[in-house]
Amino acid sequence: MKVVSVVGARPQFVKLAPMAAAMDQAGLQHIIVHTGQHYDPNMSGVFFADLKIPAPDINLEVGSGAHGAQTGQMMAGLEKVFTDQAPDWVLVYGDTNTTLAGALAAVKDHWPIAHLEAGLRSFNRRMPEEINRVLTDHAADLLLAPTEVAMGHLAKEGLAARAHLVGDVMTDVLYKVRDAVTAQNLVAAGDYLVSTIHRAENTDSKAGLARIIDQLAALPIEVRLLVHPRLAAKAKQHGLSLNKGAIKPAQPLAYPQMVAAVLGSRGVVTDSGGLQKEAFLLDRPCTTLRPETEWTETLAGGWNVLALDAADLAQVVMRPTPTTSRGTPYGDGRAAQKAVITLLGE
Ligand code: UD1
């Protein structure tokens, strides 16, 4: 069986790592196509190196651009790759423009599509990711869902027959990396928060971004803001400085360093999906600067709090670490193996 994985943006490399290992173990033929959506070394290459992912077989080098131009350019490249490779499965990951380009290019030419991380919903149609994931789920033949909640969304949309609950593959990687960084003594505990802001909804408007920067700057604790290139570009465009008050701006971290930083922190303030879940799985309280979350399981017991409109952000982020049990809503760290078994139809 031949699987073509389509990846391009940072969180997809993290999801690819356990999938590539599980496919290798199962003896599948696996071709990795990188669309080039992310291209800075600290947004791409470092993940392949640290997570020991085989180098991409093909890189389309599409780069940044407006949604239509970027997605269209990817589709043109992918169409040719699929024709050349004739895969048994086109495997797409998550909810980025790379995901949608892979799904649209494949469905028109009748290549079977599997969507990993299917069924997540924010129900916020102004998010590009929401559009990407809904359209991808409806184009796909096999839906590999991370949670029961995701399975429920797929059922409501009439997609239950194609859906399989496999668990969350990011949990697979996270547990391995957590154990490795702890064994290597890479965790330095300190009184700081880890923060990331990159969503279009939070960075595109000057007033919205200025408000978030001011709220972070006023916190009574060091805020290690790991500056995604989109945030850097938008702050510059809006004439806003990130070097303000409690904020200590820093470059985005490689994955093991990120996990170590969260483990050493008092908590997380973010608009990232993956980081909300990572904080939850690493026993750190998360404050999410969004009106909703796809990872609703993290909200149980106050481990994650949605606080975009909080009048007093300090009160929310400085809340005591919850003590309630979180259960295992994201699986047992073997989701990739289950996903591969499902791909094989066993
Ligand atoms: C994309 C995904 C988002 C995901 C995020 C993870 C879409 C619609 N969004 O958002 O779901 O959470 O990746 O990081 O697909 N840039 C660089 N170097 C890079 C990559 C980007 O400088 O390597 C800058 C460019 O100015 C670019 C901007 O970041 O225009 C945005 O990049 P893009 O890939 O369009 O979206 P992200 O915000 O990264």
Side-chain angles (χ1 to χ4, degrees):
M1 178 177 283
K2 185 182 201 176
V3 178
V4 170
S5 277
V6 181
V7 293
R10 184 171 60 173
Q12 289 165 333
F13 310 138
V14 180
K15 293 164 202 170
L16 172 63
M19 287 303 293
M23 283 192 258
D24 184 45
Q25 213 171 21
L28 292 183
Q29 192 183 354
H30 185 207
I31 305 291
I32 299 173
V33 188
H34 189 321
T35 60
Q37 177 170 351
H38 286 172
Y39 43 86
D40 287 348
N42 64 2
M43 296 293 289
S44 176
V46 74
F47 287 82
F48 282 83
D50 286 340
L51 299 175
K52 301 190 173 52
I53 309 168
D57 298 280
I58 299 156
N59 192 325
L60 301 175
E61 296 181 356
V62 165
S64 303
H67 289 288
Q70 188 186 50
T71 310
Q73 225 182 314
M74 290 176 191
M75 284 176 66
L78 289 169
E79 206 163 52
K80 184 170 181 321
V81 170
F82 300 156
T83 305
D84 292 347
Q85 296 291 338
D88 296 297
W89 285 111
V90 170
L91 181 58
V92 295
Y93 300 70
D95 57 17
T96 73
N97 288 348
T98 289
T99 317
L100 181 64
L104 287 180
V107 72
K108 293 294 185 75
D109 281 340
H110 316 300
W111 301 113
I113 305 166
H115 182 204
L116 187 79
E117 211 176 74
L120 293 186
R121 295 291 181 266
S122 67
F123 303 102
N124 176 355
R125 287 176 60 88
R126 292 190 58 80
M127 282 181 78
E129 294 82 3
E130 181 74 356
I131 305 302
N132 291 341
R133 52 173 93 98
V134 169
L135 295 179
T136 300
D137 280 340
H138 284 260
D141 303 278
L142 184 66
L143 299 165
L144 302 165
T147 61
E148 293 281 3
V149 172
M151 289 293 283
H153 295 148
L154 294 169
K156 278 201 191 109
E157 292 174 28
L159 300 172
R162 302 181 221 165
H164 296 259
L165 179 63
V166 295
D168 173 48
V169 300
M170 286 180 105
T171 301
D172 300 12
V173 200
L174 181 67
Y175 285 162
K176 284 209 184 87
V177 173
R178 174 199 61 190
D179 294 347
V181 297
T182 307
Q184 294 161 39
N185 288 324
L186 290 179
V187 180
D191 209 19
Y192 65 90
L193 299 169
V194 173
S195 184
T196 71
I197 301 295
H198 77 283
R199 295 263 164 219
E201 306 84 84
N202 283 341
T203 54
D204 283 359
S205 118
K206 179 175 178 178
L209 182 57
R211 179 170 180 267
I212 289 175
I213 293 172
D214 287 347
Q215 280 187 311
L216 294 178
L219 290 175
I221 181 172
E222 178 185 324
V223 178
R224 284 191 198 160
L225 180 62
L226 308 171
V227 181
H228 184 286
R230 182 188 193 97
L231 173 61
K234 289 289 175 182
K236 192 167 170 218
Q237 183 189 325
H238 299 321
L240 298 170
S241 168
L242 298 172
N243 208 343
K244 192 172 181 184
I247 302 176
K248 298 275 172 296
Q251 288 293 314
L253 293 175
Y255 194 71
Q257 282 68 33
M258 180 64 148
V259 172
V262 173
L263 279 170
S265 75
R266 192 181 194 288
V268 167
V269 184
T270 190
D271 63 5
S272 151
L275 192 51
Q276 288 171 53
K277 192 161 29 91
E278 283 152 5
F280 176 84
L281 293 166
L282 295 173
D283 297 315
R284 293 297 173 276
C286 181
T287 302
T288 297
L289 298 182
R290 284 185 48 201
E292 72 282 302
T293 178
E294 299 78 19
W295 301 105
T296 50
E297 302 82 2
T298 60
L299 299 172
W303 281 96
N304 186 12
V305 173
L306 302 175
L308 184 61
D309 298 320
D312 184 358
L313 188 65
Q315 208 184 3
V316 183
V317 300
M318 300 307 284
R319 70 191 186 278
T321 303
T323 49
T324 45
S325 149
R326 289 151 300 154
T328 53
Y330 300 117
D332 56 5
R334 282 178 301 176
Q337 281 170 34
K338 288 182 201 148
V340 170
I341 289 168
T342 312
L343 281 174
L344 285 166
E346 285 169 5

